[in-house]
């Protein structure tokens, strides 16, 4: 078996194993169970054959940023039993094409977008779409997501849409280089999550906290992440064409 793998495929498997080991170590250090954290493989720019290497190795969740890229790769992927999430910024005019194709949209950050997803989801067989609300925890101008201050109001306004189920929060924090800075921002996000959980949402169940990427997933797990989104640590540096 192993002998038939290409150099790239073997490298990806080795990377996955290393990520899994670091994830297990972070869970142990945090006194958490490994099963309580989902490892998502972020597959943007990655060829379907390499994505299939990690799916065949047991990864059960993938994330794509762009609607078009996902739709063009989907048929070549080994998706049996695999959850598919859209994690990139979504324009309302693309909503109809992606609802019904994925299991979750992690990047809801406006009432307008939430309504478009809800309306589109009601026309699908399932009738509902799971979503996360994206929070701009660092308050950076250039980032999508709602600010922590605006979060309660957004949640309040979208609770009337019965075609979505709000399952939790997602964040992409600023890039920090020290462990203590990384932990501080994730801790702030976790506090916000706990605070919001205390308030009742009608169309959802606040249980998922999506935070942590290649450079900071261990810190995110130490601060309560339930889903980490890992791309380059598994697949190598992205080659944008
Ligand atoms: C690309 C991307 C990731 C993965 O980033 P890496 O640093 O390569 O792990 C995670 N989340 C989102 C939203 C992304 O766009």
């Amino acid at each position: 078996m192993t002998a038939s793998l290409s150099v790239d495929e073997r490298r990806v498997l080795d990377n996955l194993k290393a990520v899994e080991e670091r994830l297990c170590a972070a869970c142990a250090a945090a006194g958490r169970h490994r099963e309580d954290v989902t490892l998502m493989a972020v597959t943007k720019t990655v060829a379907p054959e390499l994505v299939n290497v990690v799916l065949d190795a047991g990864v059960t969740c993938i994330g794509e940023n762009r609607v078009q890229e996902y739709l063009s790769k989907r048929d070549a992927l080994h998706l049996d039993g695999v959850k598919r999430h859209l994690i990139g910024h979504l324009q309302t005019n693309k909503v109809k094409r992606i609802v019904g194709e994925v299991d979750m949209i992690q990047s809801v950050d406006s009432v307008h977008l939430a309504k478009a997803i809800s309306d589109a989801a009601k026309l699908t067989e399932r009738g509902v779409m799971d979503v996360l609300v994206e929070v701009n925890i660092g308050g950076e101008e250039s980032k999508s997501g709602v600010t922590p201050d605006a979060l309660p109001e957004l949640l309040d306004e979208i609770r009337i849409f019965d075609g979505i189920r709000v399952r939790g929060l997602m964040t992409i924090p600023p890039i920090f280089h020290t462990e203590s800075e990384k932990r501080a921002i994730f801790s702030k996000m976790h506090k916000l999550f706990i605070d919001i959980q205390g308030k009742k949402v009608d169309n959802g169940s606040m249980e998922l906290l999506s935070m942590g990427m290649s450079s900071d997933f261990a810190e995110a797990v130490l601060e309560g992440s339930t889903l980490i989104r890992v791309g380059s640590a598994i697949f190598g540096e992205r080659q944008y064409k």
Side-chain angles (χ1 to χ4, degrees):
M1 282 296 288
T2 321
S4 66
L5 291 180
S6 72
V7 174
D8 279 349
E9 289 169 340
R10 195 162 310 160
R11 184 176 45 82
V12 165
L13 274 185
D14 288 345
N15 289 345
L16 177 64
K17 198 165 156 241
V19 165
E20 183 61 44
E21 281 168 9
R22 287 172 57 207
L23 173 54
C24 285
C27 287
R32 304 179 59 197
H33 296 293
R34 167 65 185 88
E35 312 86 76
D36 296 341
V37 183
T38 300
L39 169 61
M40 165 192 284
V42 175
T43 56
K44 59 174 179 257
T45 79
V46 181
E49 305 79 68
L50 274 191
V51 177
N52 285 337
V53 169
V54 303
L55 297 181
D56 295 346
V59 168
T60 57
C61 181
I62 59 167
E64 271 283 347
N65 286 65
R66 290 164 185 270
V67 171
Q68 192 50 48
E69 183 180 347
Y70 174 67
L71 295 180
S72 72
K73 278 156 56 169
R74 160 197 69 179
D75 290 343
L77 298 175
H78 300 170
L79 289 174
D80 243 10
V82 173
K83 298 288 184 205
R84 307 141 305 164
H85 294 199
L86 188 82
I87 59 174
H89 181 68
L90 178 60
Q91 290 165 308
T92 34
N93 63 3
K94 302 221 171 105
V95 165
K96 285 206 185 84
R97 283 156 64 201
I98 197 69
V99 168
E101 296 283 347
V102 291
D103 301 288
M104 190 178 293
I105 295 174
Q106 293 207 357
S107 44
V108 169
D109 63 356
S110 71
V111 176
H112 186 58
L113 178 59
K115 179 165 193 315
I117 295 171
S118 177
D119 289 348
K122 285 200 258 186
L123 303 174
T124 64
E125 208 175 313
R126 239 182 111 219
V128 69
M129 184 75 200
D130 284 337
V131 302
L132 302 183
V133 171
E134 182 174 351
V135 177
N136 182 355
I137 193 69
E140 297 163 282
E141 293 272 341
S142 60
K143 288 245 171 92
S144 17
V146 286
T147 60
D149 287 348
L151 178 63
E153 195 182 328
L154 178 77
L155 289 172
D156 207 46
E157 286 181 82
I158 69 178
R159 66 200 297 166
I160 55 169
F161 303 139
D162 51 9
I164 55 171
R165 274 200 313 185
V166 181
R167 302 280 312 277
L169 304 178
M170 181 270 242
T171 196
I172 309 173
I175 295 166
F176 288 120
H177 298 286
T178 70
E179 191 184 333
S180 63
E181 283 172 320
K182 290 175 191 176
R183 288 194 61 166
I185 197 88
F186 287 134
S187 166
K188 184 175 172 194
M189 187 67 204
H190 186 246
K191 285 203 184 82
L192 184 67
F193 177 64
I194 295 296
D195 189 41
I196 289 292
Q197 264 183 336
K199 307 190 172 93
K200 187 152 168 35
V201 248
D202 299 337
N203 56 349
S205 52
M206 279 281 171
E207 61 204 4
L208 299 179
L209 180 56
S210 169
M211 62 183 192
M213 318 202 320
S214 290
S215 60
D216 54 18
F217 70 81
E219 290 84 357
V221 167
L222 288 171
E223 299 299 340
S225 170
T226 70
L227 188 156
I228 59 171
R229 310 179 307 265
V230 182
S232 48
I234 296 174
F235 297 109
E237 286 305 313
R238 280 181 286 277
Q239 312 282 325
Y240 288 98
K241 290 190 195 90

